[in-house]
Short mmCIF file of all heavy atoms in Angstrom, two decimals:
data_model
loop_
_atom_site.label_atom_id
_atom_site.label_comp_id
_atom_site.label_asym_id
_atom_site.label_seq_id
_atom_site.Cartn_x
_atom_site.Cartn_y
_atom_site.Cartn_z
N LEU A 1 121.32 97.29 88.73
CA LEU A 1 119.96 96.74 88.64
C LEU A 1 119.90 95.28 89.06
O LEU A 1 118.87 94.62 88.90
CB LEU A 1 119.44 96.89 87.20
CG LEU A 1 119.30 98.33 86.71
CD1 LEU A 1 118.96 98.34 85.23
CD2 LEU A 1 118.25 99.08 87.50
N LEU A 2 121.00 94.80 89.64
CA LEU A 2 121.05 93.39 90.04
C LEU A 2 120.07 93.10 91.17
O LEU A 2 119.40 92.07 91.19
CB LEU A 2 122.48 93.02 90.46
CG LEU A 2 122.73 91.56 90.82
CD1 LEU A 2 122.48 90.67 89.61
CD2 LEU A 2 124.16 91.37 91.32
N VAL A 3 119.98 94.02 92.14
CA VAL A 3 119.05 93.87 93.26
C VAL A 3 117.87 94.80 93.05
O VAL A 3 118.06 96.02 92.92
CB VAL A 3 119.74 94.19 94.60
CG1 VAL A 3 118.74 94.12 95.75
CG2 VAL A 3 120.91 93.24 94.85
N SER A 4 116.69 94.27 92.98
CA SER A 4 115.50 95.10 92.79
C SER A 4 114.27 94.38 93.31
O SER A 4 114.27 93.15 93.46
CB SER A 4 115.31 95.47 91.32
OG SER A 4 115.04 94.32 90.55
N VAL A 5 113.25 95.15 93.58
CA VAL A 5 111.97 94.57 94.01
C VAL A 5 111.26 94.02 92.78
O VAL A 5 111.03 94.74 91.81
CB VAL A 5 111.10 95.63 94.71
CG1 VAL A 5 109.72 95.07 95.02
CG2 VAL A 5 111.78 96.12 95.98
N ARG A 6 110.90 92.76 92.82
CA ARG A 6 110.24 92.12 91.68
C ARG A 6 108.74 91.96 91.88
O ARG A 6 108.00 91.82 90.91
CB ARG A 6 110.85 90.73 91.44
CG ARG A 6 112.33 90.76 91.09
CD ARG A 6 112.59 91.60 89.84
NE ARG A 6 113.99 91.54 89.44
CZ ARG A 6 114.53 92.34 88.54
NH1 ARG A 6 113.79 93.28 87.96
NH2 ARG A 6 115.80 92.24 88.22
N GLU A 7 108.29 91.97 93.14
CA GLU A 7 106.88 91.72 93.37
C GLU A 7 106.46 92.33 94.69
O GLU A 7 107.23 92.35 95.66
CB GLU A 7 106.61 90.21 93.40
CG GLU A 7 105.16 89.83 93.59
CD GLU A 7 104.97 88.32 93.66
OE1 GLU A 7 105.99 87.59 93.64
OE2 GLU A 7 103.81 87.88 93.73
N HIS A 8 105.26 92.86 94.73
CA HIS A 8 104.66 93.35 95.96
C HIS A 8 103.53 92.41 96.35
O HIS A 8 102.63 92.15 95.53
CB HIS A 8 104.11 94.77 95.80
CG HIS A 8 105.17 95.81 95.63
ND1 HIS A 8 105.81 96.41 96.69
CD2 HIS A 8 105.72 96.34 94.51
CE1 HIS A 8 106.70 97.28 96.24
NE2 HIS A 8 106.67 97.25 94.92
N VAL A 9 103.58 91.88 97.56
CA VAL A 9 102.55 90.95 98.02
C VAL A 9 101.67 91.66 99.03
O VAL A 9 102.16 92.18 100.04
CB VAL A 9 103.19 89.70 98.67
CG1 VAL A 9 102.11 88.75 99.18
CG2 VAL A 9 104.09 88.99 97.67
N ASP A 10 100.38 91.70 98.74
CA ASP A 10 99.43 92.35 99.64
C ASP A 10 99.36 91.58 100.94
O ASP A 10 99.21 90.34 100.94
CB ASP A 10 98.04 92.38 98.97
CG ASP A 10 97.04 93.22 99.75
OD1 ASP A 10 97.37 93.67 100.87
OD2 ASP A 10 95.92 93.43 99.23
N ALA A 11 99.50 92.30 102.06
CA ALA A 11 99.43 91.64 103.37
C ALA A 11 98.06 91.06 103.63
O ALA A 11 97.88 90.18 104.48
CB ALA A 11 99.79 92.64 104.48
N GLY A 12 97.05 91.56 102.91
CA GLY A 12 95.69 91.02 103.07
C GLY A 12 95.03 91.57 104.32
O GLY A 12 95.58 92.36 105.08
N GLY A 13 93.83 91.12 104.55
CA GLY A 13 93.11 91.51 105.76
C GLY A 13 92.30 92.77 105.57
O GLY A 13 91.34 93.01 106.29
N GLY A 14 92.65 93.62 104.60
CA GLY A 14 91.89 94.85 104.38
C GLY A 14 91.92 95.74 105.60
O GLY A 14 92.82 95.69 106.43
N GLY A 15 90.90 96.57 105.75
CA GLY A 15 90.80 97.42 106.92
C GLY A 15 91.76 98.58 106.89
O GLY A 15 92.26 98.99 105.85
N VAL A 16 92.07 99.09 108.09
CA VAL A 16 92.87 100.29 108.24
C VAL A 16 94.35 99.92 108.22
O VAL A 16 94.77 98.97 108.87
CB VAL A 16 92.52 101.00 109.56
CG1 VAL A 16 93.30 102.30 109.70
CG2 VAL A 16 91.02 101.26 109.63
N SER A 17 95.15 100.69 107.49
CA SER A 17 96.59 100.46 107.44
C SER A 17 97.22 100.80 108.79
O SER A 17 96.94 101.84 109.38
CB SER A 17 97.22 101.32 106.35
OG SER A 17 98.62 101.37 106.49
N LEU A 18 98.08 99.90 109.28
CA LEU A 18 98.72 100.10 110.58
C LEU A 18 99.55 101.37 110.59
O LEU A 18 99.53 102.14 111.56
CB LEU A 18 99.59 98.89 110.90
CG LEU A 18 100.22 98.81 112.29
CD1 LEU A 18 99.14 98.77 113.36
CD2 LEU A 18 101.10 97.57 112.41
N ALA A 19 100.30 101.63 109.52
CA ALA A 19 101.19 102.79 109.48
C ALA A 19 100.42 104.11 109.41
O ALA A 19 100.92 105.14 109.86
CB ALA A 19 102.13 102.68 108.29
N ASP A 20 99.21 104.09 108.84
CA ASP A 20 98.48 105.34 108.61
C ASP A 20 97.31 105.54 109.58
O ASP A 20 96.67 106.59 109.54
CB ASP A 20 97.93 105.36 107.18
CG ASP A 20 99.03 105.27 106.14
OD1 ASP A 20 100.13 105.79 106.41
OD2 ASP A 20 98.80 104.66 105.08
N ALA A 21 97.01 104.58 110.41
CA ALA A 21 95.83 104.64 111.26
C ALA A 21 95.91 105.76 112.30
O ALA A 21 96.97 106.01 112.88
CB ALA A 21 95.63 103.30 111.97
N ALA A 22 94.80 106.41 112.55
CA ALA A 22 94.73 107.44 113.59
C ALA A 22 94.64 106.82 114.97
O ALA A 22 95.01 107.43 115.98
CB ALA A 22 93.52 108.34 113.35
N VAL A 23 94.13 105.59 115.04
CA VAL A 23 94.04 104.86 116.30
C VAL A 23 94.54 103.44 116.06
O VAL A 23 94.20 102.82 115.05
CB VAL A 23 92.59 104.80 116.84
CG1 VAL A 23 92.53 104.03 118.16
CG2 VAL A 23 92.02 106.20 117.00
N VAL A 24 95.36 102.93 116.96
CA VAL A 24 95.86 101.56 116.87
C VAL A 24 95.62 100.87 118.21
O VAL A 24 95.95 101.42 119.27
CB VAL A 24 97.37 101.51 116.53
CG1 VAL A 24 97.89 100.07 116.56
CG2 VAL A 24 97.64 102.15 115.18
N VAL A 25 95.03 99.68 118.16
CA VAL A 25 94.84 98.85 119.34
C VAL A 25 95.71 97.62 119.17
O VAL A 25 95.54 96.87 118.21
CB VAL A 25 93.37 98.43 119.52
CG1 VAL A 25 93.20 97.64 120.83
CG2 VAL A 25 92.45 99.65 119.53
N SER A 26 96.65 97.40 120.09
CA SER A 26 97.59 96.29 119.97
C SER A 26 97.44 95.32 121.13
O SER A 26 97.09 95.71 122.24
CB SER A 26 99.04 96.79 119.93
OG SER A 26 99.36 97.34 118.69
N GLY A 27 97.75 94.07 120.86
CA GLY A 27 97.77 93.06 121.90
C GLY A 27 99.13 92.43 122.02
O GLY A 27 99.86 92.29 121.03
N GLY A 28 99.47 92.03 123.24
CA GLY A 28 100.75 91.38 123.48
C GLY A 28 100.58 89.97 123.99
O GLY A 28 99.50 89.36 123.87
N ARG A 29 101.63 89.44 124.58
CA ARG A 29 101.60 88.09 125.10
C ARG A 29 100.45 87.90 126.10
O ARG A 29 99.88 86.81 126.24
CB ARG A 29 102.93 87.76 125.77
CG ARG A 29 103.13 86.28 126.06
CD ARG A 29 104.31 86.09 127.02
NE ARG A 29 105.52 86.73 126.55
CZ ARG A 29 106.40 86.14 125.74
NH1 ARG A 29 106.17 84.92 125.31
NH2 ARG A 29 107.49 86.78 125.38
N GLY A 30 100.11 88.98 126.79
CA GLY A 30 99.06 88.91 127.79
C GLY A 30 97.68 88.60 127.25
O GLY A 30 96.77 88.24 128.00
N VAL A 31 97.49 88.71 125.92
CA VAL A 31 96.20 88.36 125.33
C VAL A 31 95.94 86.87 125.49
O VAL A 31 94.80 86.44 125.69
CB VAL A 31 96.15 88.78 123.84
CG1 VAL A 31 94.87 88.29 123.18
CG2 VAL A 31 96.27 90.29 123.72
N GLY A 32 96.99 86.07 125.37
CA GLY A 32 96.87 84.66 125.70
C GLY A 32 96.82 83.69 124.54
O GLY A 32 97.35 82.58 124.63
N SER A 33 96.20 84.06 123.43
CA SER A 33 96.10 83.17 122.29
C SER A 33 95.62 83.93 121.07
O SER A 33 95.15 85.08 121.18
CB SER A 33 95.12 82.02 122.57
OG SER A 33 93.79 82.52 122.66
N ALA A 34 95.71 83.29 119.90
CA ALA A 34 95.23 83.92 118.68
C ALA A 34 93.72 84.16 118.76
O ALA A 34 93.22 85.20 118.34
CB ALA A 34 95.57 83.04 117.48
N GLU A 35 93.00 83.19 119.31
CA GLU A 35 91.55 83.31 119.40
C GLU A 35 91.15 84.44 120.34
O GLU A 35 90.14 85.12 120.12
CB GLU A 35 90.94 81.99 119.88
CG GLU A 35 91.09 80.82 118.92
CD GLU A 35 92.52 80.27 118.86
OE1 GLU A 35 93.28 80.49 119.82
OE2 GLU A 35 92.86 79.65 117.83
#
C-alpha cells in the first residue's frame, strides 16, 4: 500500500470525454497558435 492514488484531479473543460467521444476533431502544429 506504499504506492497508491491519493487524489483525482478533474481535467476541467467539461464537454465530451476524449476517450469516449464518437467524433474527435484534433489540431496539430499546422493550426498555428492556441487562439
Side-chain angles (χ1 to χ4, degrees):
L1 297 173
L2 184 62
V3 176
S4 66
V5 174
R6 298 302 184 192
E7 182 182 5
H8 291 275
V9 179
D10 188 353
V16 183
S17 166
L18 188 61
D20 300 327
V23 180
V24 175
V25 184
S26 285
R29 194 194 306 271
V31 174
S33 68
E35 294 73 22

